[in-house]
Amino acid sequence: MTIILYQDKFLPREQGQVDMEDRGYQFGDGIYEAIRVYGGKMFLLDLHMKRLERSARELRLKLPYSLEHLTDNLNQLIRQNQINEGLVYFQITRGAAHRQHLFPDHIESVLTGSAVSLPREETLRPNGIKVSLVDDIRWLRCDIKTLNLLGNVLARQEAHEKGSEEAILHRGATVTEGSSCNVFIVQNGQLVTHPADHFILNGITRLHVIDLAGKLNIPVEERTFSTDELYHADEVFITSTGAEVKPVVQIDERVIASGKPGSITQKLMNAFDEEVARIKAAALY
Amino acid sequence: MTIILYQDKFLPREQGQVDMEDRGYQFGDGIYEAIRVYGGKMFLLDLHMKRLERSARELRLKLPYSLEHLTDNLNQLIRQNQINEGLVYFQITRGAAHRQHLFPDHIESVLTGSAVSLPREETLRPNGIKVSLVDDIRWLRCDIKTLNLLGNVLARQEAHEKGSEEAILHRGATVTEGSSCNVFIVQNGQLVTHPADHFILNGITRLHVIDLAGKLNIPVEERTFSTDELYHADEVFITSTGAEVKPVVQIDERVIASGKPGSITQKLMNAFDEEVARIKAAALY
């Protein structure tokens, strides 16, 4: 039986119900995180929790539990659902109140969470993926991980209908990020990715790949780059919690470089694989 | 007892619950309408329903019922809650499915609705209101009446904390609309308001006021105008379903013209009042 987290309680899936006047439902007034699970353990947990705190602060939304308590509950959720390789998703809304735009007084935040199995996609990676360029029409605070995701949804749908696995978004000539990932290009042995400002969500995998690159002596430049630089990059890859590091070999009808995943992308994937292997080995003891 | 509408059913308020994986709750993937009720009748119903159909079409979201059936249910909701002067609110989401950005297959839209009393604010109007200018940071499809309202919420909250009743939004030098209203200025006897493009929600009261102005031989120009034109307007007013026509006499620390509601605003308010009085008189028979 699937178990979900509702506030502080573990409930059967079908009891995961929220009020119709929850502000998450009427305004998208809430935040969320999705955390990778390897060997039954949450990966890069501290970075996710730090980002959660920041999102809450930016929206002045009260976290209903301490991070320690929340972590304990998420770990229990993973165990109860027997998740080994998977994804924990949870969201926190400002809570339920009679509909008005203003933040209501005396409102209690609402937490809902789930844990699902999600195998790693190693088998997909050897060939890389096709993506589509889509206009970035989202709001100007993409740095906050909110539930206002319709711009992301529409972009992903558009890319899907063009036969692509993901949308890469651009504002004018500037590439920002994907519908649910960050975008890196490789130029002359160097990684380039959009800076973590208000135009992108600062992905935890993005941060981790920048860290891994440092350890591998691969230089990283955080600066905006253009759609033209994207098309002419030596390599392109995307990063996300679910997809980890995934090579991009085609953008709409344009093939990137040789049309195969590049060597620097491969190095990063290998480093990532080794890390996950270590975590899984450690989890066996 | 308060009765709400859930899909096709009339339920006690406390049974108004939705699934935690409703896409309205996780993505804001839904649309809504709020319709004024005078004398127990929905005002400008056809215009609201036409806009609902357009919002659904733009998001490729399936309306769960015919407009006729929906109208019957909303009328019953008004009667069951004995609303004479009030507001009907309803929203339709894409429905519940395991979380993914892509539109899921075989998904059933979810409708929730409520009807509440809301007296007209005639007593507030003689003095007009103060508003604040706030940056418009919303997405670029404000013409669709979606549940992605966090930009509107944050703007209203900011205005409130500055002691204002509403936020007037601007992109650079251009005034777009309010957090939940449209904005008109009067210049030399003429109304000016932002055109109904992707930057604003085409308010039903906006449309109705343009219509009323025609009948009163007040010329209307739909064009963008600047914050500077706003500050130096002869008159400023806002329009919304809840607030109808409301004079604005102060923008942050700047007083507009004489600091009192202007004569053209007054003419429109009078025409509006007469219309509502006719509707209420007719409802008595």
Side-chain angles (χ1 to χ4, degrees), chain A residues 4 13 16-29 32 59-60 89 91 93 98-99 101-103 110 112-113 116 137-141 146-154 156-157 160-161 179-180, chain B residues 4 13 16-29 32 59-60 89 91 93 98-99 101-103 110 112-113 116 137-141 146-154 156-157 160-161 179-180:
Chain A
I4 61 89
R13 171 65 189 86
Q17 303 284 316
V18 298
D19 193 81
M20 64 185 270
E21 284 192 305
D22 189 300
R23 291 174 63 88
Y25 201 52
Q26 297 195 321
F27 296 105
D29 189 3
Y32 73 103
L59 296 189
R60 293 162 50 196
Y89 171 89
Q91 61 174 59
T93 71
H98 185 62
R99 188 179 186 276
H101 283 67
L102 282 181
F103 298 167
V110 172
T112 47
V116 296
I137 63 167
R138 300 170 306 158
W139 76 331
L140 302 181
R141 289 304 305 273
T146 83
L147 304 174
N148 272 221
L149 291 172
L150 212 32
N152 306 61
V153 163
L154 295 180
R156 174 70 64 90
Q157 185 66 23
H160 175 70
E161 289 169 12
S179 84
S180 62
Chain B
I4 59 92
R13 170 66 188 84
Q17 305 283 318
V18 297
D19 193 81
M20 64 184 272
E21 284 192 305
D22 189 300
R23 290 174 63 90
Y25 200 53
Q26 298 195 320
F27 296 105
D29 189 3
Y32 74 104
L59 296 189
R60 292 161 52 195
Y89 172 88
Q91 62 174 59
T93 70
H98 184 63
R99 187 178 186 277
H101 284 67
L102 282 181
F103 299 169
V110 172
T112 49
V116 297
I137 63 167
R138 299 171 306 159
W139 75 331
L140 303 181
R141 288 305 305 272
T146 82
L147 304 174
N148 272 221
L149 291 173
L150 212 33
N152 305 61
V153 162
L154 296 179
R156 174 70 64 89
Q157 184 66 23
H160 175 70
E161 289 169 10
S179 83
S180 62

Side-chain angles (χ1 to χ4, degrees), chain B residues 29-48:
Chain B
D29 189 3
I31 58 179
Y32 74 104
E33 286 291 329
I35 307 179
R36 243 317 185 176
V37 177
Y38 299 124
K41 308 267 178 222
M42 285 186 279
F43 184 56
L44 305 174
L45 176 66
D46 289 351
L47 291 174
H48 282 285

Side-chain angles (χ1 to χ4, degrees), chain B residues 271-285:
Chain B
F272 208 103
D273 285 349
E274 284 165 21
E275 195 170 16
V276 173
R278 276 195 302 276
I279 291 167
K280 288 175 138 182
L284 292 177
Y285 296 99

Side-chain angles (χ1 to χ4, degrees), chain B residues 121-128 247 249 260-261 266 269:
Chain B
E121 299 184 37
E122 290 139 307
T123 52
L124 276 182
R125 295 181 324 193
N127 299 318
V249 295
K260 297 215 184 306
Q266 195 61 58
M269 288 193 293

Side-chain angles (χ1 to χ4, degrees), chain B:
Chain B
M1 185 173 65
T2 302
I3 299 294
I4 59 92
L5 186 61
Y6 174 79
Q7 299 291 50
D8 212 13
K9 294 197 270 287
F10 298 89
L11 302 177
R13 170 66 188 84
E14 64 273 16
Q15 289 179 33
Q17 305 283 318
V18 297
D19 193 81
M20 64 184 272
E21 284 192 305
D22 189 300
R23 290 174 63 90
Y25 200 53
Q26 298 195 320
F27 296 105
D29 189 3
I31 58 179
Y32 74 104
E33 286 291 329
I35 307 179
R36 243 317 185 176
V37 177
Y38 299 124
K41 308 267 178 222
M42 285 186 279
F43 184 56
L44 305 174
L45 176 66
D46 289 351
L47 291 174
H48 282 285
M49 288 301 185
K50 205 187 249 178
R51 185 171 66 184
L52 178 75
E53 276 191 313
R54 178 181 184 276
S55 294
R57 199 165 52 239
E58 292 296 322
L59 296 189
R60 292 161 52 195
L61 191 153
K62 196 172 165 293
L63 294 182
Y65 307 104
S66 71
L67 296 187
E68 294 70 25
H69 189 71
L70 178 56
T71 299
D72 286 347
N73 278 349
L74 295 175
N75 276 324
Q76 198 175 327
L77 189 67
I78 290 166
R79 280 197 304 276
Q80 290 204 20
N81 289 284
Q82 298 176 292
I83 305 301
N84 180 43
E85 205 159 275
L87 197 72
V88 164
Y89 172 88
F90 66 97
Q91 62 174 59
I92 297 169
T93 70
R94 201 178 305 276
H98 184 63
R99 187 178 186 277
Q100 60 164 27
H101 284 67
L102 282 181
F103 299 169
D105 297 325
H106 314 299
I107 189 168
E108 193 186 344
S109 305
V110 172
L111 183 146
T112 49
S114 59
V116 297
S117 281
L118 182 71
R120 299 184 65 212
E121 299 184 37
E122 290 139 307
T123 52
L124 276 182
R125 295 181 324 193
N127 299 318
I129 59 166
K130 177 186 168 190
V131 300
S132 283
L133 268 190
V134 177
D135 256 334
D136 191 345
I137 63 167
R138 299 171 306 159
W139 75 331
L140 303 181
R141 288 305 305 272
C142 294
D143 57 308
I144 315 173
K145 201 163 174 74
T146 82
L147 304 174
N148 272 221
L149 291 173
L150 212 33
N152 305 61
V153 162
L154 296 179
R156 174 70 64 89
Q157 184 66 23
E158 181 176 335
H160 175 70
E161 289 169 10
K162 287 176 174 165
S164 293
E165 195 172 319
E166 175 55 308
I168 292 193
L169 305 174
H170 62 99
R171 285 194 197 260
T174 300
V175 175
T176 51
E177 62 181 334
S179 83
S180 62
C181 65
N182 293 112
V183 182
F184 288 76
I185 60 173
V186 180
Q187 280 180 341
N188 307 314
Q190 179 178 265
L191 302 188
V192 182
T193 195
H194 196 289
D197 57 19
H198 287 191
F199 292 107
I200 71 162
L201 194 275
N202 193 0
I204 302 304
T205 310
R206 171 188 182 278
L207 288 170
H208 190 60
V209 162
I210 290 173
D211 190 47
L212 279 183
K215 289 176 182 157
L216 297 168
N217 294 314
I218 302 166
V220 182
E221 197 180 353
E222 294 181 59
R223 64 160 173 88
T224 58
F225 60 93
S226 68
T227 50
D228 206 53
E229 286 182 275
L230 177 72
Y231 288 135
H232 296 101
D234 301 327
E235 306 179 25
V236 177
F237 64 89
I238 58 174
T239 60
S240 76
T241 293
E244 305 171 349
V245 176
K246 206 184 256 184
V248 171
V249 295
Q250 191 178 336
I251 297 165
D252 295 310
E253 300 321 310
R254 298 192 189 216
V255 171
I256 301 303
S258 67
K260 297 215 184 306
S263 61
I264 289 184
T265 308
Q266 195 61 58
K267 265 189 205 172
L268 290 164
M269 288 193 293
N270 291 347
F272 208 103
D273 285 349
E274 284 165 21
E275 195 170 16
V276 173
R278 276 195 302 276
I279 291 167
K280 288 175 138 182
L284 292 177
Y285 296 99

